[in-house]
Amino acid sequence: MQMSVTPPYSDLEQRVLSRITEERWLDLASELIRTGQPRSGNPLDPDLPPAEEEAISMLVAGKLEALGMNVTKHSAQPHRPNVLGVLKGREGAPSLILNDHLDTYPAVEPHKWHMTDFDPFKATRHGDLLYARGTSDTRGNLAASLLAVQALIEEGVTFDGTLMCCYTVDEERNGTEGSIYMLNKVGLTADYEITAEPTAWGDAAKDWGMNLSVANSGHCLIEVTVEGIKSHIWRPDISVNAIMEAAKLLPKLKEMAFTHVPSKFMGHTPPCCSVVRIRGGLPGEMQFSPDACTITLAVVGIVPGMTLASVISDIEQLGQQTFAGANDVKASVRQVPGSLFVNATEPVPVEEEPCRSLRAVYKRLMGREPGVNRKNAFNDTIRFREAGINAVTFGPGEDGWAVDNENISITKSVMATRIYALTIMQLLGVRT
């Protein structure tokens, strides 16, 4: 593990950093992890009910109010309030949004959570790792951003610019009721934005640290429906079994290449698809071979220039090639109803804010520049970037979360908290 260097700090910086301790982060993270669960679990599946983040929203709002921030709550749906805390600075000075989200992945199989005594929401420490649902995505990151702001305010730091803490609902479903609502309906805006999400990638033993994600990949959900001919199971000679035909597509979908122009920051995952659901056959018809099978795909790693039309066209061509000459088989492709196509974003130049301040502070604390990359997964950074804000992602947690026994590095989380605090001071300026 790479340890931080000890550069000279101002007296104010030393006092702020002394308030950021492992114990304080652990206490806050553990409280946030438990609160509002399991109702905060928000599946991407459009056909399932969304989360209700009200409990965690109220807790976070109360903490911001206790710090003296002007706090408002904004709901597009009942029981799903977005939280906005504002410390107003001087007119004309820079403004910064610090963002994280209040929903989590659902925990569907508790029997697999052996690291937390089979309770996914019981924050449990093993060595340097804290385990529980939401540790890495993103209650642990939320704790880091909150503790950074708390340390600054407790120490009496007064900013020249304006700090906004915007904690949103619905991020796991691409932000419709959260960041999109806050930007398009509430009118939230700022000069700069930092989302506290995992940005570490790779072998932590070899490259301990966090990247600066200056761009994001896009994604979408696609359905491929293969149609055949239904028959009684005793007459396979006259059937065209849709499930068997759809199976011919699976290895080709895994290997297919999507049409795209390589960008400067490609992300660690190239444009590709993952099969996430297969449906075939009807309840009550087990006597018959099915005449329809639907494959649901998550298309990820989307880069600038790729569109919904281009993605669908590529998959349609694959279907045509696979079933060429099979007159009794048809394949149709469409976007999953109720889902969104998320575009990839153009990168924020590394010499511009907030990259400049993040890079400078990271180098002071870590002794080297952070890696710069495109983040694969969706987060609210995309929505802020779409609104014309210089928005980036930076935070603890491995960018490739464990489905079960999710965890986060405690040491890395404390370091991220320190980086957030000094970056806020440098970016907004401090009144003396």
Side-chain angles (χ1 to χ4, degrees):
M1 178 183 295
Q2 177 175 333
M3 303 304 293
S4 62
V5 296
T6 307
Y9 299 115
S10 69
D11 180 63
L12 178 58
E13 288 174 332
Q14 288 178 334
R15 297 199 308 271
V16 169
L17 293 178
S18 70
R19 294 180 177 273
I20 299 171
T21 65
E22 181 178 292
E23 181 180 10
R24 296 190 82 184
W25 179 84
L26 276 169
D27 288 345
L28 181 54
S30 298
E31 180 183 15
L32 296 171
I33 285 164
R34 173 64 74 178
T35 301
Q37 293 288 14
R39 293 188 128 183
S40 296
N42 197 21
L44 182 61
D45 315 44
D47 55 340
L48 294 179
E52 291 185 358
E53 302 94 337
E54 190 166 37
I56 185 66
S57 295
M58 294 301 102
L59 176 65
V60 170
K63 289 184 179 296
L64 296 179
E65 287 173 347
L67 293 175
M69 301 188 85
N70 179 20
V71 177
T72 53
K73 296 177 281 291
H74 308 270
S75 301
Q77 291 181 333
H79 309 296
R80 307 193 74 189
N82 297 282
V83 178
L84 178 64
V86 179
L87 281 178
K88 185 69 175 175
R90 177 179 58 83
E91 288 293 333
S95 55
L96 169 68
I97 295 170
L98 192 61
N99 164 256
D100 206 340
H101 63 91
L102 302 168
D103 53 338
T104 67
Y105 292 142
V108 180
E109 297 180 293
H111 63 278
K112 294 183 177 179
W113 288 76
H114 62 279
M115 299 299 285
T116 59
D117 296 329
F118 308 102
D119 177 356
F121 310 111
K122 178 185 176 183
T124 306
R125 180 174 187 170
H126 296 278
D128 186 51
L129 298 179
L130 185 68
Y131 288 81
R133 173 59 87 224
T135 46
S136 183
D137 190 19
T138 59
R139 297 286 203 259
N141 317 75
L142 175 61
S145 67
L146 281 171
L147 181 55
V149 175
Q150 182 178 354
L152 290 163
I153 293 176
E154 285 177 346
E155 199 49 53
V157 177
T158 302
F159 306 116
D160 190 42
T162 295
L163 175 64
M164 290 171 268
C165 292
C166 180
Y167 298 121
T168 50
V169 304
D170 206 36
E171 188 266 0
E172 298 294 355
R173 288 198 184 194
N174 302 325
T176 302
E177 315 301 336
S179 52
I180 292 177
Y181 178 76
M182 292 298 294
L183 289 159
N184 296 347
K185 299 298 183 181
V186 178
L188 178 67
T189 189
D191 297 313
Y192 314 115
E193 188 273 342
I194 299 171
T195 297
E197 275 258 11
T199 54
W201 184 278
D203 187 345
K206 297 178 181 177
D207 185 25
W208 190 87
M210 291 157 278
N211 294 302
L212 171 58
S213 297
V214 298
N216 289 74
S217 298
H219 68 273
C220 62
L221 294 175
I222 299 293
E223 283 183 350
V224 182
T225 298
V226 178
E227 297 179 76
I229 298 175
K230 185 183 297 187
S231 77
H232 202 285
I233 55 175
W234 311 127
R235 290 300 307 273
D237 56 309
I238 62 172
S239 78
V240 178
N241 189 310
I243 294 177
M244 298 296 288
E245 294 299 322
K248 298 175 183 178
L249 266 177
L250 298 180
K252 297 181 179 181
L253 286 167
K254 181 180 179 180
E255 301 299 330
M256 77 172 294
F258 285 91
T259 302
H260 68 280
V261 176
S263 65
K264 180 179 179 181
F265 295 105
M266 279 300 296
H268 297 284
T269 300
C272 62
C273 63
S274 176
V275 176
V276 294
R277 183 183 289 174
I278 299 177
R279 289 173 171 167
L282 300 174
E285 286 202 352
M286 205 165 278
Q287 291 96 333
F288 309 115
S289 61
D291 61 354
C293 179
T294 297
I295 303 170
T296 304
L297 309 171
V299 181
V300 298
I302 289 174
V303 294
M306 294 177 66
T307 64
L308 177 61
S310 74
V311 167
I312 289 177
S313 177
D314 286 344
I315 298 172
E316 285 177 337
Q317 290 181 40
L318 184 67
Q320 291 166 6
Q321 294 166 7
T322 302
F323 302 117
N327 295 329
D328 295 328
V329 181
K330 296 180 182 178
S332 59
V333 184
R334 68 170 183 170
Q335 183 179 11
V336 171
S339 66
L340 299 180
F341 182 87
V342 178
N343 287 291
T345 61
E346 295 292 344
V348 176
V350 294
E351 67 275 5
E352 295 184 8
E353 294 289 12
C355 301
R356 186 166 61 239
S357 289
L358 267 170
R359 288 169 55 216
V361 171
Y362 189 101
K363 188 172 183 179
R364 286 183 66 194
L365 292 174
M366 297 287 292
R368 60 179 175 85
E369 288 267 351
V372 178
N373 69 359
R374 175 183 296 276
K375 183 175 170 65
N376 287 320
F378 175 86
N379 58 40
D380 286 324
T381 309
I382 290 177
R383 303 309 184 192
F384 292 108
R385 191 78 179 109
E386 289 173 341
I389 299 170
N390 269 18
V392 300
T393 312
F394 175 83
E398 307 310 308
D399 194 358
W401 307 264
V403 178
D404 305 303
N405 295 301
E406 179 184 344
N407 60 81
I408 196 169
S409 163
I410 298 167
T411 305
K412 191 177 294 185
S413 298
V414 174
M415 177 57 73
T417 308
R418 293 159 64 90
I419 293 172
Y420 290 144
L422 296 192
T423 297
I424 293 169
M425 293 176 69
Q426 179 163 322
L427 192 60
L428 296 182
V430 176
R431 297 183 197 175
T432 57

